[in-house]
Amino acid sequence: MRLLKKIAGVAATVALVGMAAPASAIVVGGIDFGVLGANPINTHLETATLAQTYIDGVGQAATAYGLITSVNGDLSYCADGSSNCALYYITHTTTRTFTPIGGGLSYASLGGTTINVYYSSSAAGNLLNQNSTSNLAFISGLTQWATFSGAAGVDTIDPGADQNATGLLTGQSLSATGSGLVSVNSADGIGDAAVEAYLDTNSIAAFGGNPNADIAVTTSSNDVVLNPFDLAGPEADSCRGAQQVGDFCFAGTADLRGATAVPEPSSLALLGLGLGGLAFYRRKARRA
C-alpha cells in the first residue's frame, strides 16, 4: 500500500510541479531539454514503468510501459516550463538466451527491443486508475514522439543481443538489473523528425563492430504488482507462484541516457523494462 501511494505521489508531483525554463534552454518536439540539451549526448530520460509482463522462456516477448518523469533532471519538461504535457513509453523485447548461474542468480540476453515514446499535450495522468490493457490502449493512441530499436552489440557471447539482464532470487522475491543499447529508428517515419534527428548522435560504442548506438538503457525491477486493477483482472495473479505468461507482474526503474550521464532528480521513478524472462529461474527453482 505504501508503494502504491508513492507511485501515485510521483504522478501527482509530475502533474503539479512547474518550473520556468531558462532562456538558454533547448526545446525540441515540444520538450525542454534544458541547458544540458545544447549537446544531445547529455540526454537523460528517467522513467516510471507501472507494469511489465511476465515471461518464462526463450522466444517469449515482454511488454512494459510507463511515464517519463524527468528530462535532463527536470520534472517539468514542457516547452512552456509547465507540467501541462507528458511523455509516455511502451517497450517490447524478446528473450534470446537464459542461463541459470547458481546461488540464486540467472542471466538472460534479449533482442528485438523497441521503445516507442509518445507525447501528450495534457498533464500526466494517473495510470493506476485502470488496468494495463486500457493503459496501453491510451498510450498507443497518443502522438508518437520518437521510436528506438535495439542496437546489437551488448553481449560478447550472443552477438545479436541488444539488452541483457541478471536476476537474483531471494526467498520468493525476484529482483533484476539490466542494460542495453538502442538507436533512433527514423526509417519507420513515425516519430517527430526533429526529435529523432536531435537524438541521433551515434555516440555510444557497441561490441563486435556493430554501429554506434544513441541511447544506453539501464533498468532495475522487482516482482511486484502496483496496479490494483491488474490484480483484479485476468492480466495478473499474485505473481508469487501463480504466474502466467502475459501477467503484469513486474515493477522497477529505467533510465535512458546519452553518452554523458546526468545526475538524477531527487524524486524517484518506479519500475523497469525488458526483464520478465528472468522470472523463469524462480519457477524452475520451485519445481525442483
Side-chain angles (χ1 to χ4, degrees):
M1 183 60 70
R2 291 180 179 176
L3 197 54
L4 282 170
K5 290 180 178 178
K6 190 168 186 179
I7 188 65
V10 170
T13 299
V14 173
L16 296 175
V17 175
M19 296 181 182
S24 56
I26 305 300
V27 176
V28 185
I31 299 300
D32 175 11
F33 285 84
V35 295
L36 291 171
N39 189 340
I41 69 171
N42 292 328
T43 299
H44 181 211
L45 310 179
E46 187 181 50
T47 71
T49 309
L50 295 182
Q52 177 181 309
T53 54
Y54 171 89
I55 57 179
D56 63 4
V58 172
Q60 296 176 357
T63 297
Y65 71 90
L67 176 71
I68 291 177
T69 57
S70 74
V71 175
N72 285 348
D74 193 350
L75 296 169
S76 51
Y77 47 69
C78 305
D80 62 1
S82 74
S83 296
N84 295 321
C85 73
L87 293 175
Y88 301 86
Y89 79 94
I90 298 174
T91 182
H92 303 283
T93 193
T94 301
T95 305
R96 292 173 56 90
T97 65
F98 179 84
T99 306
I101 298 173
L105 288 172
S106 56
Y107 174 84
S109 66
L110 305 104
T113 301
T114 61
I115 301 175
N116 298 316
V117 183
Y118 299 84
Y119 176 87
S120 171
S121 58
S122 301
N126 185 353
L127 296 180
L128 296 179
N129 286 333
Q130 59 186 6
N131 66 25
S132 288
T133 299
S134 298
N135 284 332
L136 288 168
F138 160 71
I139 294 171
S140 61
L142 297 173
T143 300
Q144 205 136 0
W145 186 75
T147 65
F148 302 93
S149 294
V154 302
D155 190 316
T156 56
I157 297 175
D158 180 4
D162 54 46
Q163 310 284 316
N164 54 42
T166 301
L168 175 62
L169 180 69
T170 305
Q172 289 191 334
S173 178
L174 178 71
S175 58
T177 58
S179 62
L181 298 175
V182 295
S183 291
V184 168
N185 186 7
S186 56
D188 61 10
I190 296 175
D192 185 307
V195 172
E196 295 190 334
Y198 169 74
L199 294 175
D200 189 8
T201 63
N202 297 316
S203 56
I204 303 175
F207 292 132
N210 288 288
N212 287 356
D214 303 319
I215 297 290
V217 181
T218 56
T219 65
S220 176
S221 66
N222 192 265
D223 55 338
V224 61
V225 179
L226 292 180
N227 191 333
F229 291 94
D230 284 346
L231 285 173
E235 290 94 345
D237 301 300
S238 67
C239 293
R240 293 286 176 88
Q243 304 91 339
Q244 297 179 16
V245 173
D247 289 352
F248 286 97
C249 285
F250 285 82
T253 62
D255 288 321
L256 286 71
R257 64 171 179 80
T260 303
V262 177
E264 297 180 6
S266 58
S267 65
L268 180 65
L270 298 176
L271 322 180
L273 51 90
L275 303 176
L278 295 171
F280 176 58
Y281 185 83
R282 180 177 65 241
R283 177 171 285 187
K284 183 174 180 179
R286 287 179 181 165
R287 289 176 177 171

